[in-house]
Amino acid sequence: MPTISSAHPRRFRWTPTAASRSSHQQRRWREGLAVVLAVNSGATDAIGFLALGGAFTSVMTGNMVLLGVSLAGTDGALALHTGAAIVCFILGCSLGTRVAGVPRPDDPVWPPAVTRALVVEGGVLTGYAAGWWWSDGHPSGQLQLWLLVLNALALGIQSSTVQRFGVAGLSTTYLTGTLTTVIARLTSGQRLRDVAPSVLTLLGLIVGAALGGLLTVRAPMWAPLVQLGSLGVVLAAAVTAIRPGSEL
């Protein structure tokens, strides 16, 4: 609870307790890890679009548009890739919800189930990386499709897992709503620092896409390391800095 300053008997000064400061720090730490997960999303989407058949792996609105365009233009290959990505993203969302669960009133800042779900995502991305490296970074044919669906499955897991936090507006994949919220709040007079976490998440997505795209084109054998590395950073934090005993 807040404390009352005794320096001036007639004046009350409410100051945050150690517990409230700790809770604030924990939430800031979680926001930072969400930015790192956004880097993973950006890289995965860029790799999917550039090297896995022209489909996205988390932007399902874009895939739905591409699916409609492919049907109108009778582009069977694009229709197959976008349709498969949509289906596997949905399956990933279902799997992520099964593992991570749904928000509960007694949840800590970082529920252990979130870590378990991200481990599952890591397993899926590891399988994708193995196939990517087996093809020397230039997958084609059926392998290209399989790697696309693994990436879509992984980001579906990540997308629904982040929902376990129960924080309105917190996302690491579909960020059009995040951008809309940032603009609306800034236009209504809020300060930039009030929307800083959302801005950093958007920047994380862009940085991840830039890294993933650059490596896909210039050094494809390194491309999966952006995905595995960013997710690995989050998992390392989850099993070290965020321990059950720390009441996070």
Side-chain angles (χ1 to χ4, degrees):
M1 294 178 62
T3 59
I4 301 176
S5 172
S6 59
H8 301 282
R10 296 183 181 180
R11 295 171 60 188
F12 296 92
R13 185 180 65 188
W14 293 88
T15 58
T17 62
S20 64
R21 287 195 298 270
S22 175
S23 178
H24 176 70
Q25 292 170 351
Q26 293 163 10
R27 284 170 172 76
R28 291 293 297 273
W29 184 248
R30 180 177 63 190
E31 291 167 356
L33 295 183
V35 172
V36 180
L37 288 175
V39 172
N40 176 42
S41 298
T44 306
D45 264 324
I47 293 169
F49 186 78
L50 292 173
L52 300 178
F56 296 107
T57 50
S58 75
V59 188
M60 291 302 111
T61 304
N63 276 344
M64 291 176 188
V65 172
L66 291 175
L67 178 60
V69 170
S70 66
L71 294 176
T74 63
D75 187 338
L78 182 59
L80 175 62
H81 283 77
T82 53
I86 292 170
V87 171
C88 287
F89 183 84
I90 292 171
L91 292 175
C93 287
S94 178
L95 178 58
T97 302
R98 288 279 186 177
V99 178
V102 296
R104 297 167 47 182
D106 59 343
D107 272 344
V109 172
W110 189 281
V114 169
T115 303
R116 291 195 291 270
L118 292 180
V119 168
V120 174
E121 179 189 1
V124 175
L125 285 179
T126 299
Y128 138 79
W132 178 274
W133 287 322
W134 183 79
S135 68
D136 292 327
H138 297 284
S140 60
Q142 288 298 312
L143 179 60
Q144 184 185 64
L145 179 62
W146 278 108
L147 298 186
L148 174 70
V149 299
L150 285 176
N151 275 336
L153 181 68
L155 289 194
I157 294 171
Q158 179 177 305
S159 184
S160 59
T161 296
V162 172
Q163 298 305 302
R164 173 61 194 267
F165 295 131
V167 179
L170 180 63
S171 177
T172 62
T173 50
Y174 47 95
L175 295 177
T176 302
T178 301
L179 177 60
T180 303
T181 300
V182 167
I183 300 304
R185 289 181 177 177
L186 291 177
T187 303
S188 64
Q190 292 192 27
R191 296 168 298 181
L192 181 60
R193 71 178 186 178
D194 295 330
V195 295
S198 296
V199 172
L200 290 175
T201 302
L202 292 169
L203 291 176
L205 183 77
I206 295 171
V207 169
L211 289 174
L214 180 64
L215 292 176
T216 298
V217 173
R218 299 291 182 85
M221 292 297 286
W222 293 88
L225 295 183
V226 181
Q227 302 159 275
L228 296 176
S230 55
L231 184 59
V233 167
V234 175
L235 288 174
V239 299
T240 56
I242 303 179
R243 300 177 185 276
S246 63
E247 299 182 355
L248 285 172

